Amino acid sequence: MLKQYLLSPGPTAVPERVLLRMAHPMIHHRTPQFSAIFAETKRMLEQVYQTSNDALMLASSGSGAMEAAITNLCSPGDTIIFVNGGKFGERWGKIAASHGVNAVEIKVTWGDAVDVAAVEAALNEHPEAKGVFLQASETSTTTEHPVREVARLTASRDGCVTVVDAITALGVIDMPMDDWGLDVVITGSQKALMLPPGLAMIALSDKAWGLTETATCANFYFDLVTERKNQQAGKDTTAWTPAASLVIGLNEVLKMMFEEGLENLFARHALLAKATRAGVAALGMKPLSTAPATSATGAFVPEGVDGGAFVKYLRDTMGVTFAGGQDHLKGKIIRIAHLGYYDVFDITTAMSAIEIALNRFGHPVQMGAGVAAAQTLLAERFPAQG
Ligand SMILES: *Cc1c(COP(=O)(O)O)cnc(C)c1O
C-alpha cells in the first residue's frame, strides 16, 4: 500500500466531518429544509467575506465566477485593466477577449507582486476603464498582490471597480471586503474552503451592482441580478439547481471556521506559511515569490533536478501530491499548499517528503534540515508546559 497525502493548492484536503455531512441522503433543493441550510450558509459566508452585501453561490468552478464578474459588469467594447502575473491573472484577459471586452494588460514578472504605481498609471491612461481585475493570491506563482491599495485607487473613480479573485485568499488572510473597499470578491470551493470542486462564490459592492445595470455582455446562466433575487432572504434558493451537496458541505465548513475563530484561522495559516518558507530555505531551495502568499509556497527545485520528474516521483512513488509549475516554470518549481484543512504535521510531512525525494534524486541534502527549520517555528502553535 501507499498512503496518500494531498498537499497541492487545490484541490485541498476535505475534513472528515465535512465528508460525512455531505454523505447524508440527498434532499430536494426546493424545500424549506434546504432553504434553511442555504440561508444559514449564506449568512456565515458573508461573515467570512466580512461584507454586508450578498455573497452569492454559483454551481461552477472558480473560473465561472470570474467570467460572471466580467459579463455582469461590462459591455462589449468596454475596457478593463487586468494584472497578469501568472496563469490566473492571464485568464482575466482571455475571458474578457472572449466577450469582446478590451483588456489592458499590466504584465508582471511571475513571482512578483504588481506595482501599485503601474496600476495607477494604467488607470490614468485609461480613464474609461470599468475596473481593475486581479488576484489577491496568484496561486500559480504563490504571490500576493496588494489588493487593498488597488481598491484605494478605484474608490475615487466613478464607475470603476476593483475585482478580486480571492480563490486562494478568502479564508486564508484577513481581507475584509467592505473595510478594504473591494468591489467584487470571488472564491471557489476546492481551496481554502476545504470542499470538493464545483461551487463558486461571488459578492459585489453597491458600486459594482451599479455597473450591472448598464452591462450588456451576454449572460444567461451567470446572471447575477437574477441570482441575487433568488438567493436573498425570503427566497433562499438559487435560480438554477444548486450544487446542493456542496452547499451543505459549505455549511459544515463555515461552522468549523467559526468554531476555530477567524483570527485563529488567519494566524494558523500565517504560521504554516512562515514555517514552510523556513523549511525550504533550510534545504537551499530558492523561493519563487518576492511577495510570498499565505496560501502556498513555491520554490525552485535545485539545479540538476528535473522538477517535473521530481513532483511526479513524490506523487506516484511516495504518495505525496504537490503541484509543479506551469508554462515557463514547468519542470522548475514545486508548490506546497498550506490553505484550508492543514496543520503543523502536514508541513513536517511536506518537508520530510521533499528531503527524501531530494536524496533519492541524488541531490546532497542534510536529512531533517527542512523539518527542523519548520518545526522550530511550528512549535509555537502549542502552549509551553511547565
Ligand atoms: C484555482 C484558482 C482559480 C479557479 O480555477 P477553477 O479551476 O476554475 O476552479 C482561479 N484563480 C485562482 C487564483 C485559483 O487558485
Side-chain angles (χ1 to χ4, degrees), residues 23-332:
H24 289 189
M26 200 61 225
I27 59 170
H28 197 285
H29 57 280
R30 304 292 186 211
T31 55
Q33 190 189 4
F34 180 75
S35 281
I37 297 169
F38 185 86
E40 184 187 45
T41 306
K42 181 168 174 287
R43 270 198 308 277
M44 289 191 288
L45 183 61
E46 285 156 4
Q47 285 168 33
V48 173
Y49 266 81
Q50 303 183 61
T51 184
S52 58
N53 266 299
D54 296 285
L56 306 176
M57 289 171 255
L58 307 173
S60 79
S61 81
S63 302
M66 291 173 74
E67 179 159 34
I70 289 184
T71 58
N72 282 269
L73 301 179
C74 302
S75 304
D78 276 354
T79 296
I80 63 156
I81 294 164
F82 74 106
V83 173
N84 177 0
K87 277 315 268 185
F88 294 109
E90 181 182 60
R91 190 166 299 172
W92 289 124
K94 290 184 176 171
I95 298 170
S98 79
H99 290 284
V101 171
N102 170 34
V104 174
E105 176 182 69
I106 300 177
K107 188 109 179 121
V108 178
T109 304
W110 285 29
D112 287 349
V114 70
D115 181 358
V116 180
V119 178
E120 188 164 25
L123 281 165
N124 289 339
E125 202 179 322
H126 296 280
E128 77 284 11
K130 284 277 152 70
V132 178
F133 291 66
L134 79 171
Q135 276 57 40
S137 158
E138 171 54 76
T139 320
S140 66
T141 65
T142 63
T143 297
E144 266 166 33
H145 288 308
V147 293
R148 185 183 199 176
E149 288 70 20
V150 170
R152 284 205 186 104
L153 295 177
T154 60
S156 56
R157 289 169 157 88
D158 280 346
C160 181
V161 291
T162 294
V163 178
V164 179
D165 163 1
I167 296 179
T168 54
L170 193 89
V172 175
I173 56 171
D174 191 15
M175 211 190 69
M177 179 174 172
D178 292 359
D179 273 11
W180 286 15
L182 311 175
D183 294 295
V184 178
V185 176
I186 292 164
T187 193
S189 54
Q190 79 275 26
K191 313 271 174 92
L193 294 177
M194 312 186 273
L195 288 165
L199 191 67
M201 287 136 270
I202 183 167
L204 276 67
S205 68
D206 292 339
K207 191 178 180 186
W209 281 114
L211 288 184
T212 66
E213 288 165 19
T214 51
T216 62
C217 275
N219 60 53
F220 178 78
Y221 187 74
F222 289 130
D223 180 345
L224 297 180
V225 175
T226 303
E227 280 302 338
R228 179 162 71 159
K229 270 187 215 135
N230 283 279
Q231 298 194 21
Q232 275 184 336
K235 289 196 92 176
D236 303 311
T237 187
T238 49
W240 324 117
T241 302
S245 51
L246 292 171
V247 172
I248 292 166
L250 180 60
N251 184 277
E252 197 67 26
V253 163
L254 293 166
K255 283 181 177 151
M256 285 180 69
M257 289 170 88
F258 286 109
E259 282 166 22
E260 180 177 13
L262 290 185
E263 254 175 58
N264 295 332
L265 179 147
F266 299 138
R268 170 169 57 84
H269 280 88
L271 179 66
L272 300 186
K274 191 165 91 170
T276 306
R277 292 195 290 268
V280 294
L283 294 175
M285 292 164 72
K286 198 169 135 310
L288 171 62
S289 178
T290 54
T294 309
S295 54
T297 296
F300 288 94
V301 296
E303 204 71 42
V305 174
D306 171 349
F310 188 69
V311 171
K312 191 168 180 294
Y313 180 90
L314 276 156
R315 184 191 67 206
D316 298 343
T317 308
M318 294 177 60
V320 190
T321 300
F322 295 100
Q326 294 154 299
D327 287 1
H328 70 274
L329 295 176
K330 201 174 164 77
K332 298 213 168 88

